[in-house]
Every structure is written in C-alpha cells, then in structure tokens.
Amino acid sequence: MDASDLTRFADELFRADIDRIPMDPLTARMPGLTTEQAYAVQIGYLEKKITRGAHVIGKKIGLTSKAIRDALKVDEPDFGCLLDTMAVLDGGTIALSTLIQPRVEGEICFVLDRDLDAPFVTEADVLRSTAFVVPALEIIDSRIRDWKITLADTIADNASSGMFVLGGKKTTLDNLDLRLLGMAVDHNGQLAVTGAGAACFGNPVTSVAWLANKLRSLGIVLRAGEVILSGGLAATVTPKAGDWVTMRMQTLGDVSVRFSA
Amino acid sequence: MNSPKNTDRTAALAAALHAAEREVREIDGIVPAHPDLTLDDAYAIQRALVALYERPVVGLKAALTSRAKQVAMNVTQPGYGTLLDFMKVDGTLRRSELIHPRVEPEIALFFEDLPTDRMLASDEIAVLATGFAPALEVIDSRYKKFKFTAVDVYADNCSSSRFMLGRDVLPLPHPQLELAGVVLEKNGDIVQTGAPAAVLGHPFTSAAFVLNLAIAHGVQLPRRFVLLTGGITEAVPVEVGDVIRCRFGGIGEISLSVTE
C-alpha cells in the first residue's frame, strides 16, 4: 500500500459519485486499509470536488449509534465533510437520479460561532461555542455497492454523506437537555420512526466534542460558522420518487424534503 | 360460534394459558391446532382467561400499536389486554415468576367515570383523562420464543404480565406529549430511544381506539382505571440483576430492578 493506492481509491470514489455507479468495497481489495489511510482517501476524494468548485461548510459525524458501531465492530464514531453542493433548502426537492442508494435520517445540526480550538474540547466548550441548533435531515448515500461497508470504507467515502437539509428555526442550548428531546420522522405523512437526542452518542453535545478532539488529532480545527450534523437519532427511511420526509423534533421544530425521480 | 363445543374449547384454551402463566412455562401457539379461530374468538378466550384469576380488573393495555408490529401480525388495527391488580409492581420484578420477560416504556393515562354510552374521539382524551404518568410495561408471552399470531396474542391477554407506573401523575394537556424524548437504559447503557408518537402517532389516538373497542366488547371497567397506551420502543429482554431506568423528557423517570 502506498500513496498511489490512496490516490487511486480517491479517483474511483470520485468517479463512482459522478457516474452514480457504486463500486466494490475498498477493503475487499485492501483488507488492511487503516482508519488513517481511509481519512487520507477521503481528503483526496474531497479535494477533487473542491477543485471543481465545491466549498467545505461543515462536518458530519457518523456511527453515533451504539447499535451501528457494534454491528461494524468499532468503538468510536467517524466523520466526513459537508460541502455547499450537498445542501438543499427546507421543503426542497432532491432528484433521486443524483444519488445512488439514499437513506434519510433525522439529526440535530450545530452552528458554531467560535472556533473549537482548546487543546482538549469538553462539552462545556461545545456549549459555549454553539450559536444555536437547528433540526436537520441528512440524506446519506454510499458509493459502495449495497452499502457493504466496513469502517474504513465509509470513512474513505466521506462518511457515506449525500445531501442535507436544515430547518429554519434556531434554538439556543440555554437550559436545553438535547438528550431528552424526542423526535419523529414521517414518511409520506405516516409515522416511520421515533427517537430521542440521547440516541446520538449519549448526547449530541458529546458527539460534537468527540469530533473536535478527533479533528485536533489530525491537525484540523472546527471553525466558527461551520455547520455540524451531530449524528442520526433513529433508524433511516428509504425514499422513492414522489415521497416526502419530515422530521419533527420537540422544541427544535421541523424540517422536510421531497424526492423526485 | 357460541355452540357448546366452542364454549368448551374457549374454556380449555383459557385454562391452558392460565396454567402456563401460573406454572411459569411456555406453551405452543394455539392457532396451529385451531386454525379456524377468529379475532373475536381470541377476545372470548382472553375474557375467560382473565376471569380465571378472580382478581380485580384495574385497567387496559393497548397492543400492536406500531405499524411495524401490525404488519408483522398481519392486522391493521391495535388490540387490547386486561390489567389485573396483581400485575402492578413497585420497583422490583421477580424473574422467577415470569417466563421470558421484556420491558417497554409507555405513557399511562388515568380515567375516572368514563362515558361508555358513545364512541370516544382522540381529541376528547385530554379532557376525559384525569392525568398521565410515565410507565414501564413488562410483557411475557406464554408462547414459545415469543412467537405468535394476532389470534394467539389476543387470547394470551396481549402478553400482559406486570406494569409499573411513575411516581407522579401529571395533568393534561401536556405540550408536545407525542414528542417527549424517551431514553431506556439497561444497566447504564442506552438501549432504546423513542417518542410517544410511536403509538399510532399519539397516545390519545391509541387510547380512543382501545377504549372504544373494549367498551364495544362489553369489558367491565372499574370506575377508576389506568390505560397503558402502547410500547414506545422495542421491548428489551431482562434477566436477574438487570436494572432498567427510563427517562421521559419533561415528564419523569422510572427504575425497575430484576430480582430472583
């Protein structure tokens, strides 16, 4: 395994994303692919998008559900980068033809107004640096065929990110315990799944603190202005053309998206 | 369906379910041997089973309130079970009395002098209920491996076994009750989260449906009774030594310890 392998993987992911044709797991060809190497592939994959005009506007945290970490046999979350090209406005429409095998989940999005640059970032730092939170829908997608991912595969694939939608109501974290806010996702107006904030790494605030420290270990600082999708709060739903999906969250409000062919 | 032969069969199946519960042993589903049983027959068996206990009825529980469970059971509506006084526990669950218990969080509603001469609408429940509380229900199917059809489970009193109510009864209406966060921990690990919207969209919808059905069936309810509105998350299996703690955002919390 050398740098050219990592470059090749980044090229293949970029091509799979452009062509909407999924690829075999990277780890099928390179079982020893480490987490560090996978993040290097992710950076290479994103640099290709940035070269073509995309801008990083935030981060997403994945694998925040203990059940999913247990299934993948990993003990910590992972992260990917949010690009401006992934954003859709609340109530907007996403063409399924622009994605491969999307799934939708409800999350809490943090918007920072201070850098999280402490040597070790605690929950207190996250609370102090968060301007407000908004409800969010993340449309995850995988460039890996049939979602047959291991930890290294999803990290390389930008943490299986696709698109995201932010709600239009801002809520500050003063006196708010995100762990005990309930949420419901409706699929075509029918209740699909419910969850609560604690489903995300015990507390979405802890999830963001984990991200800040993970990034510090890689020499990156979470900056004021970034939007951070803190992790899914319930099982995903799978959209079809003509569907709409709404998340309602206690206190935070709601957010919705439509899907076309 | 009320022939002497069917009455005998109803009594025999009720007796078998009663014995299984009293003797803490699982039995085969009843449908394979009696494929002609209807849902009405199942409720007749439930009534006969409940009568065998000779204990006061204290309330009702809603069952099959999630779409996933309804699809799995091939039904389009929820059902109900009957709660008896001995099912109520206070902080401790005795494992040796149960077959393969599972715990699920619910919203309990309290009623007093409920009108029984007309259909109830879900938007009346906030006014008709005297209050609500967080609750844990312990379900314990008498069937092997918790495997059953809708007819099996209705006959088995909808797996009713034990229940525990939170300490405080809260007043209604309660803003965004359907979106209160429910976080269930087992031995300190978060194992389930959800919100009361999981029961037919709102506990009041579940309540109105179950009350109308039970009243139509002629179930005799006491003047004051409790209604468990349906499981908010998947039910969690418990064993001796387990401690279940469930927090309900803005409502309260309950803990239940499992002993021998």
Side-chain angles (χ1 to χ4, degrees):
Chain A
M1 172 109 206
D2 55 30
S4 68
D5 289 320
L6 301 185
T7 305
R8 184 163 46 85
F9 281 150
D11 285 343
E12 290 182 25
L13 283 163
F14 181 72
R15 183 51 53 194
D17 185 52
I18 296 271
D19 296 342
R20 316 297 170 204
I21 298 171
M23 56 190 278
D24 289 329
L26 312 184
T27 52
R29 277 175 288 163
M30 197 159 290
L33 189 67
T34 66
T35 300
E36 289 68 27
Q37 290 167 335
Y39 278 116
V41 174
Q42 180 189 122
I43 289 167
Y45 168 37
L46 291 170
E47 278 173 351
K48 291 180 181 300
K49 295 191 169 205
I50 292 163
T51 301
R52 283 157 183 81
H55 300 89
V56 175
I57 58 171
K59 304 283 184 294
K60 65 151 286 184
I61 308 167
L63 312 180
T64 51
S65 144
K66 187 165 189 307
I68 291 172
R69 285 198 304 280
D70 288 349
L72 289 179
K73 299 187 177 67
V74 297
D75 53 15
E76 66 170 17
D78 70 350
F79 73 87
C81 292
L82 298 179
L83 304 174
D84 54 357
T85 50
M86 299 175 180
V88 178
L89 297 183
D90 189 10
T93 300
I94 293 173
L96 290 172
S97 60
T98 64
L99 298 165
I100 298 173
Q101 42 194 346
R103 300 173 180 174
V104 186
E105 57 187 3
E107 305 194 16
I108 297 170
C109 177
F110 288 65
V111 181
L112 301 182
D113 61 358
R114 291 197 208 182
D115 295 353
L116 275 172
D117 55 1
F120 184 81
V121 172
T122 64
E123 285 86 346
D125 296 312
V126 173
L127 293 169
R128 190 165 38 225
S129 301
T130 301
F132 55 88
V133 293
V134 292
L137 286 171
E138 185 183 0
I139 296 87
I140 58 171
D141 197 6
S142 182
R143 268 56 60 179
I144 308 297
R145 191 172 288 114
D146 300 329
W147 281 93
K148 296 274 186 235
I149 54 172
T150 66
L151 177 65
D153 292 305
T154 184
I155 288 173
D157 189 23
N158 197 23
S160 307
S161 55
M163 313 285 276
F164 66 93
V165 191
L166 305 182
K169 177 189 173 189
K170 79 173 193 184
T171 305
T172 64
L173 293 177
D174 298 345
N175 304 310
L176 192 64
D177 186 347
L178 294 179
R179 297 174 302 172
L180 295 181
L181 297 185
M183 59 82 85
V185 174
D186 300 317
H187 191 179
N188 297 334
Q190 292 263 20
L191 184 106
V193 291
T194 69
C200 173
F201 208 46
N203 187 341
V205 174
T206 307
S207 179
V208 175
W210 173 86
L211 173 68
N213 290 318
K214 180 69 183 179
L215 290 169
R216 285 305 302 265
S217 75
L218 300 170
I220 305 168
V221 172
L222 268 182
R223 296 294 181 191
E226 289 201 60
V227 295
I228 302 162
L229 294 177
S230 56
L233 302 175
T236 59
V237 301
T238 302
K240 302 183 305 298
D243 287 358
W244 78 96
V245 178
T246 299
M247 179 183 79
R248 298 174 274 146
M249 187 139 197
Q250 190 176 35
T251 308
L252 303 193
D254 52 66
V255 54
S256 64
V257 69
R258 290 180 173 277
F259 292 89
S260 66
Chain B
M1 66 180 262
N2 287 320
S3 69
K5 182 165 172 280
N6 273 343
T7 308
D8 288 350
R9 180 168 74 167
T10 298
L13 292 172
L17 286 161
H18 182 253
E21 192 274 334
R22 293 283 94 177
E23 295 162 20
V24 193
R25 64 184 163 75
E26 53 185 14
I27 60 174
D28 290 322
I30 60 177
V31 168
H34 305 279
D36 59 312
L37 286 172
T38 65
L39 292 179
D40 283 342
D41 296 332
Y43 278 115
I45 296 166
Q46 179 186 133
R47 281 192 290 278
L49 167 62
V50 168
L52 287 173
Y53 284 94
E54 299 183 318
R55 299 297 304 235
V57 171
V58 297
L60 294 171
K61 62 158 277 184
L64 308 186
T65 47
S66 81
R67 261 171 75 84
K69 277 189 199 166
Q70 290 177 11
V71 169
M73 291 290 113
N74 198 24
V75 293
T76 55
Q77 297 179 334
Y80 66 87
T82 312
L83 300 176
L84 301 172
D85 65 345
F86 73 89
M87 296 178 181
K88 191 171 169 185
V89 297
D90 190 12
T92 305
L93 191 65
R94 296 177 61 91
R95 178 67 182 83
S96 58
E97 296 174 354
L98 309 170
I99 301 167
H100 38 207
R102 299 178 183 179
V103 178
E104 57 189 18
E106 306 201 14
I107 295 295
L109 297 172
F110 300 95
F111 293 93
E112 196 170 324
D113 296 320
L114 188 74
T116 55
D117 56 344
R118 62 183 176 83
M119 295 288 281
L120 307 173
S122 61
D123 61 5
E124 293 180 280
I125 298 298
V127 180
L128 293 173
T130 57
F132 76 103
L136 290 175
E137 188 188 0
V138 181
I139 55 173
D140 191 27
S141 174
R142 267 53 70 170
Y143 299 117
K144 284 179 182 162
K145 296 182 176 170
F146 246 96
K147 295 282 184 220
F148 44 70
T149 65
V151 165
D152 288 315
V153 72
Y154 290 171
D156 185 29
N157 198 19
C158 290
S159 307
S160 299
S161 176
R162 300 289 185 271
F163 66 95
M164 180 175 169
L165 302 175
R167 221 169 260 116
D168 301 315
V169 176
L170 287 83
L172 288 166
H174 182 88
Q176 288 195 301
L177 174 62
E178 76 279 16
L179 290 179
V182 176
V183 181
L184 187 75
E185 292 172 23
K186 180 167 145 178
N187 305 328
D189 287 332
I190 295 167
V191 289
Q192 294 286 336
T193 73
V199 292
L200 298 180
H202 198 294
F204 295 169
T205 309
S206 167
F209 188 91
V210 161
L211 290 169
N212 286 328
L213 187 62
I215 291 166
H217 283 178
V219 173
Q220 292 299 307
L221 291 164
R223 197 174 74 83
R224 297 173 65 179
F225 68 92
V226 64
L227 170 64
L228 300 179
T229 52
I232 293 167
T233 69
E234 282 184 40
V236 175
V238 291
E239 292 303 336
V240 174
D242 285 346
V243 178
I244 295 289
R245 175 189 181 218
C246 192
R247 288 173 289 164
F248 294 68
I251 296 173
E253 69 172 76
I254 311 186
S255 292
L256 184 61
S257 301
V258 186
T259 64
E260 294 277 346

Coordinates of all heavy atoms in Angstrom, one line a residue, chain A residues 109-114 116 125-133 171-173 208:
Chain A
C109 N -28.5 19.7 14.1 CA -27.3 20.4 13.5 C -26.9 21.5 14.4 O -27.7 22.4 14.8 CB -27.7 21.0 12.1 SG -26.4 21.9 11.3
F110 N -25.6 21.6 14.7 CA -25.0 22.6 15.5 C -24.4 23.7 14.5 O -23.7 23.3 13.5 CB -23.8 22.1 16.3 CG -24.3 21.2 17.5 CD1 -24.9 20.0 17.3 CD2 -24.0 21.6 18.8 CE1 -25.4 19.2 18.3 CE2 -24.5 20.8 19.9 CZ -25.1 19.6 19.6
V111 N -24.6 24.9 14.9 CA -23.9 26.0 14.1 C -23.0 26.7 15.1 O -23.5 27.3 16.1 CB -25.0 27.0 13.5 CG1 -24.3 28.1 12.8 CG2 -26.0 26.2 12.7
L112 N -21.7 26.8 14.8 CA -20.7 27.3 15.7 C -20.5 28.8 15.5 O -20.6 29.3 14.3 CB -19.4 26.6 15.5 CG -19.3 25.1 15.7 CD1 -17.9 24.6 15.5 CD2 -19.9 24.7 17.1
D113 N -20.3 29.6 16.6 CA -19.9 31.0 16.4 C -18.5 31.2 17.0 O -18.1 32.4 17.1 CB -20.9 32.0 16.9 CG -21.3 31.8 18.3 OD1 -20.7 31.0 19.0 OD2 -22.1 32.6 18.8
R114 N -17.8 30.2 17.5 CA -16.5 30.3 18.0 C -15.7 29.1 17.5 O -16.3 28.0 17.4 CB -16.4 30.3 19.5 CG -17.0 31.5 20.2 CD -16.4 31.5 21.6 NE -17.4 32.2 22.5 CZ -17.1 32.3 23.8 NH1 -16.0 31.9 24.3 NH2 -18.0 33.0 24.6
L116 N -13.5 25.9 17.9 CA -13.3 24.9 19.0 C -11.8 24.5 19.0 O -11.5 23.4 18.4 CB -14.2 23.7 18.8 CG -15.7 23.9 19.3 CD1 -16.6 22.7 18.8 CD2 -15.7 24.0 20.8
D125 N -17.0 23.4 26.3 CA -16.5 24.2 25.2 C -17.5 24.2 24.0 O -17.7 25.2 23.4 CB -15.2 23.6 24.7 CG -14.1 23.7 25.7 OD1 -14.0 24.8 26.3 OD2 -13.4 22.7 26.0
V126 N -18.1 23.0 23.8 CA -19.1 22.9 22.7 C -20.3 23.8 23.0 O -20.8 24.6 22.1 CB -19.6 21.5 22.5 CG1 -20.7 21.4 21.5 CG2 -18.4 20.6 22.1
L127 N -20.8 23.8 24.3 CA -22.0 24.6 24.6 C -21.6 26.1 24.4 O -22.5 26.9 23.9 CB -22.4 24.3 26.1 CG -23.0 22.9 26.3 CD1 -23.1 22.6 27.8 CD2 -24.3 22.7 25.6
R128 N -20.4 26.5 24.8 CA -20.0 27.9 24.8 C -19.8 28.3 23.3 O -20.0 29.5 23.0 CB -18.7 28.0 25.5 CG -18.3 29.5 25.8 CD -17.2 29.6 26.8 NE -16.2 28.5 26.8 CZ -15.8 27.8 27.9 NH1 -16.3 28.1 29.1 NH2 -14.9 26.8 27.7
S129 N -19.5 27.4 22.5 CA -19.1 27.8 21.1 C -20.2 27.6 20.1 O -20.1 27.8 18.9 CB -17.9 27.0 20.6 OG -16.8 27.2 21.5
T130 N -21.4 27.1 20.6 CA -22.5 26.8 19.7 C -23.5 28.0 19.7 O -24.0 28.4 20.7 CB -23.3 25.6 20.1 OG1 -22.4 24.5 20.1 CG2 -24.5 25.3 19.2
A131 N -23.6 28.6 18.5 CA -24.6 29.8 18.4 C -26.0 29.3 18.6 O -26.8 29.9 19.4 CB -24.4 30.5 17.0
F132 N -26.3 28.2 17.9 CA -27.7 27.7 18.0 C -27.7 26.3 17.3 O -26.7 25.9 16.6 CB -28.7 28.6 17.4 CG -28.5 29.0 16.0 CD1 -28.9 28.2 14.9 CD2 -27.7 30.1 15.6 CE1 -28.7 28.6 13.6 CE2 -27.5 30.5 14.3 CZ -27.9 29.7 13.3
V133 N -28.8 25.6 17.5 CA -29.0 24.3 16.8 C -30.3 24.4 15.9 O -31.1 25.2 16.2 CB -29.1 23.1 17.8 CG1 -27.8 22.9 18.5 CG2 -30.3 23.3 18.7
T171 N -32.6 27.4 17.8 CA -32.8 27.3 19.2 C -31.4 27.3 19.9 O -30.5 26.6 19.5 CB -33.5 25.9 19.5 OG1 -34.7 25.8 18.7 CG2 -33.8 25.8 21.0
T172 N -31.3 28.1 20.9 CA -30.0 28.1 21.7 C -30.1 27.0 22.7 O -31.1 26.4 23.0 CB -29.8 29.5 22.4 OG1 -30.8 29.6 23.4 CG2 -29.9 30.6 21.4
L173 N -28.9 26.6 23.2 CA -28.8 25.5 24.1 C -29.0 25.9 25.5 O -28.8 25.0 26.4 CB -27.4 24.8 23.9 CG -27.2 24.2 22.5 CD1 -25.8 23.6 22.3 CD2 -28.3 23.1 22.3
V208 N -20.3 16.2 19.3 CA -19.5 17.3 18.7 C -18.2 17.5 19.4 O -17.2 17.7 18.7 CB -20.4 18.6 18.7 CG1 -19.5 19.8 18.2 CG2 -21.6 18.5 17.9

